[in-house]
Amino acid sequence: MMTDLDKKLQEMAMTNWEQFVHLIGEDALTAAKVCLLRQNNASYGKISQKLGITEKQVRGRCDKCN
């Protein structure tokens, strides 16, 4: 169930991406990207290349995707 605050955050992400990223932080955004890419069956190596992080960092973030 989405709360009003959830809806406002979603709207912020759609209308002011820079502010949203500043608010949630680059690390959280990178972790979300890793999870999305893994859900689409991207390999650790592909994710590493695409996001410019090490495979070890990819694996660490994948542990938090559940």
Side-chain angles (χ1 to χ4, degrees):
M1 178 177 170
M2 285 186 72
T3 67
D4 286 341
L5 286 174
D6 293 329
K7 291 175 186 174
K8 287 180 182 183
L9 283 172
Q10 185 179 44
E11 185 176 325
M12 180 192 298
M14 290 188 299
T15 60
N16 192 341
W17 183 250
E18 292 80 18
Q19 182 184 13
F20 180 75
V21 171
H22 179 73
L23 181 65
I24 66 163
E26 288 288 338
D27 287 339
L29 183 61
T30 299
K33 288 177 180 180
V34 167
C35 292
L36 285 173
L37 290 166
R38 280 301 286 166
Q39 287 174 359
N40 290 316
N41 300 315
S43 69
Y44 296 125
K46 277 248 196 245
I47 296 169
S48 172
Q49 289 176 332
K50 187 168 188 103
L51 299 181
I53 59 177
T54 67
E55 284 190 38
K56 183 177 180 180
Q57 290 172 314
V58 172
R59 290 177 190 274
R61 285 177 171 87
C62 282
D63 291 341
K64 300 175 184 175
C65 291
N66 297 332

